[in-house]
Amino acid sequence: MAGDALPVAEWVSDYDVSQITIGVVASHSSLQILHGARQEGFRTLGICVGEERRKMYSAFPGADPDEWLILDDYKQMMDYAEYLRERNVILIPHGSLVEYLGPKNFQILSVPTFGNRNILEWEGSRERQRLWLESGGCTMPRVIEDPKDIDGPVIVKYAGAKGGRGYFVARDFRDFRRNVDLEEEFTIQEYVLGTRYYFQFFFDPLPEDGYQVDGMGSKKGQKIGRLELMSIDRRDEANVDEFYKLGSLRDLRDMGLEPSFVVTGNTPAVLRESLLPEAFRMGEGAVAASMELEGAEQGMIGPFCLETIVTDKLEFRVFEVSARIVAGSNVAVGGSPYSDINEPGISTGQRVARCIRKAIEKDRLLDILS
Ligand code: AMP
């Protein structure tokens, strides 16, 4: 797996661990990451392109970084790796960092990074995600290989589609044929009708208490770390969320409209409590299976999100996994009905910084970095 040759241990051995700086690209979930890092006593560094982005942070003094690295292009980060290491920086990755740098650059960026960046190779492909999650005991929406087998509503996802833009829903084969762009690579999934919940979990391999994940495969019989539920959100998606107000799918087509799934924001959610054991079972399975993936020496570390739909039979379908902090965790910057029970007001950003602080104290930084 790419990236496994990175000399993280060497970089970290040159670090002054009493002077760690938490670095983050100023976007996505950076406010809570910066704020949380400061609460745990770290110096912070923001990376951005252009002064305008920096100005916004002055509106949030609790998160405004101690230091800025202002670039002309995010890809310049590749040339600033040594500069960042000289400042004892640990980077906290999020979706925007990976998108701005490109997955390949991200995997070879020569700066210690929180979590396991090699898991990206599994996260980045729908087929591999399926292998991973199903081996962890999660049920995913059925995939329809041959469009002629479409026998109910389906969602068609183009390979290059980002943030749900460009997906479409088809009722049957004729509908699919009329709307599909055969030039593009796509996957056809059964459209799962139900309620969406996006679980923001945190897996910490260091503690030996709490909800311990049972290992599988090569780790069978071992307790491999603590799983926590930080928060749950639901994404606001334009225009599908409001579509029903205009009538049926057929009425909408007559108006020349197609539903789109573009994320515009997030709303906090809580799950019917009797479904929580199943949510934990899925989270546990995803973590345990991540340790067994080909080449994934470390497995999942830190925040991750299972994107699910619960049907009216109270069955979960997991349609996607994100192996790092998701922007949906921003609904819980001041805590959530779940994280508050364990520690009032803790955000996922602060939880990341806490994990780093504890790892420094236990001299186990290498267990949580890549
Ligand atoms: P994704 O890009 O896979 O995160 O999907 C974007 C959005 O499409 C989700 O947030 C859901 O609203 C919707 N969606 C994705 N897959 C399905 C599915 N199999 N059934 C119903 N809705 C889905």
Side-chain angles (χ1 to χ4, degrees):
M1 189 174 279
D4 51 6
L6 292 179
V8 186
E10 219 173 279
W11 300 331
V12 173
S13 69
D14 289 340
Y15 271 24
D16 177 352
V17 291
S18 67
Q19 298 294 320
I20 294 288
T21 297
I22 300 297
V24 69
V25 163
S27 182
H28 192 270
S29 43
S30 63
L31 284 172
Q32 56 164 306
I33 292 171
L34 291 162
H35 179 235
R38 182 164 300 160
Q39 282 172 304
E40 293 297 313
F42 291 108
R43 271 185 68 73
T44 55
L45 179 139
I47 303 164
C48 71
V49 167
E51 282 290 334
E52 210 168 304
R53 179 58 69 110
R54 172 182 176 161
K55 184 173 176 200
M56 193 279 285
Y57 286 76
S58 61
F60 299 99
D64 201 9
D66 297 312
E67 193 181 339
W68 281 98
L69 173 61
I70 299 184
L71 304 172
D72 299 324
D73 184 308
Y74 284 109
K75 294 211 167 55
Q76 279 180 346
M77 272 177 78
M78 305 306 287
D79 305 326
Y80 275 87
E82 205 179 328
Y83 172 96
L84 293 168
R85 292 204 309 272
E86 278 164 5
R87 283 159 180 73
N88 305 301
V89 165
I90 293 176
L91 270 181
I92 313 300
H94 52 51
S96 300
L97 170 68
V98 180
E99 193 181 327
Y100 296 159
L101 277 187
K104 292 218 157 62
N105 279 336
F106 173 61
Q107 272 183 306
I108 56 167
L109 179 65
S110 301
V111 182
T113 299
F114 180 71
N116 174 7
R117 48 182 140 173
N118 289 335
I119 209 140
L120 256 189
E121 290 199 7
W122 284 86
E123 187 204 57
S125 132
R126 285 196 197 288
E127 291 73 37
R128 290 186 139 212
Q129 273 199 16
R130 184 169 288 270
L131 282 174
W132 167 10
L133 293 174
E134 289 185 344
S135 68
C138 300
T139 309
M140 299 194 71
R142 196 161 51 88
V143 167
I144 292 109
E145 303 290 350
D146 182 347
K148 293 204 184 72
D149 294 336
I150 295 175
D151 58 359
V154 292
I155 181 163
V156 183
K157 302 181 174 185
Y158 289 113
K162 287 229 168 66
R165 190 183 294 277
Y167 291 0
F168 75 92
V169 175
R171 282 166 297 174
D172 48 33
F173 177 59
R174 270 185 54 203
D175 204 16
F176 166 81
R177 206 174 42 188
R178 205 170 30 229
N179 287 286
V180 72
D181 176 355
L182 291 170
E183 300 289 300
E184 297 259 352
E185 209 181 303
F186 56 79
T187 313
I188 308 171
Q189 272 184 6
E190 71 173 306
Y191 188 93
V192 181
L193 203 54
T195 324
R196 292 169 297 125
Y197 294 99
Y198 300 69
F199 294 97
Q200 281 106 45
F201 286 109
F202 192 96
F203 176 67
D204 190 331
L206 304 186
E208 288 171 5
D209 58 353
Y211 186 106
Q212 283 289 312
V213 171
D214 284 319
M216 56 189 279
S218 64
K219 297 208 165 42
K220 204 168 168 56
Q222 293 177 31
K223 306 283 182 200
I224 59 177
R226 186 166 80 202
L227 182 66
E228 297 166 28
L229 177 62
M230 298 303 297
S231 50
I232 305 174
D233 79 298
R234 183 165 315 139
R235 291 187 185 157
D236 301 323
E237 294 175 331
N239 294 322
V240 70
D241 291 347
E242 303 294 324
F243 234 47
Y244 67 95
K245 291 180 182 162
L246 294 179
S248 70
L249 198 53
R250 191 161 298 160
D251 295 335
L252 288 154
R253 288 255 163 86
D254 290 345
M255 291 182 236
L257 296 172
E258 284 293 333
S260 50
F261 298 82
V262 177
V263 180
T264 54
N266 307 76
T267 347
V270 288
L271 189 74
R272 183 171 164 167
E273 199 160 303
S274 57
L275 292 173
L276 272 182
E278 179 61 3
F280 269 89
R281 191 195 64 77
M282 295 186 303
E284 177 172 7
V287 172
S290 74
M291 308 283 163
E292 301 304 310
L293 301 175
E294 179 203 322
E297 280 154 31
Q298 291 173 300
M300 183 94 77
I301 299 164
F304 70 100
C305 177
L306 290 186
E307 305 181 12
T308 73
I309 301 170
V310 186
T311 69
D312 60 2
K313 295 197 176 65
L314 302 181
E315 291 169 349
F316 279 94
R317 297 285 176 274
V318 182
F319 60 91
E320 203 152 318
V321 58
S322 295
R324 66 200 112 73
I325 189 167
V326 290
S329 64
N330 288 336
V331 300
V333 169
S336 84
Y338 300 106
S339 61
D340 275 355
I341 293 172
N342 297 328
E343 181 172 335
I346 190 165
S347 68
T348 295
Q350 185 178 355
R351 186 63 188 83
V352 169
R354 174 77 53 86
C355 182
I356 296 172
R357 186 163 65 72
K358 295 274 182 197
I360 294 171
E361 285 166 16
K362 294 181 179 161
D363 197 17
R364 288 186 62 184
L365 256 187
L366 292 178
D367 290 346
I368 56 157
L369 303 180
S370 63

